Amino acid sequence: MWRTTEPGRRTRHDRYPAKLRTTRADLDDAPGVPAVPPRAADPATGGSTGRIGNAAS
């Protein structure tokens, strides 16, 4: 929901600056986002440690 005080360049597609618009080509050429690694298992319980598997301890 937009505030009524926002200028048209922020709320109206046709008034948004052309150089800042995302095009279909931009989306097609965008690099992939890596997946979030699984959480590391806690050796004592076999459950999650709450840490990301490849993160430094």
Side-chain angles (χ1 to χ4, degrees):
M1 180 165 85
W2 295 101
R3 297 183 301 257
T4 57
T5 57
E6 293 287 346
R9 69 181 180 274
R10 292 195 182 121
T11 61
R12 294 186 44 163
H13 178 72
D14 61 330
R15 295 188 59 199
Y16 194 73
K19 67 181 180 180
L20 299 177
R21 293 180 192 172
T22 301
T23 65
R24 185 70 196 151
D26 293 331
L27 296 175
D28 291 341
D29 295 337
V33 178
V36 175
R39 294 194 178 267
D42 182 347
T45 65
S48 173
T49 62
R51 294 190 307 257
I52 300 298
N54 64 351
S57 297

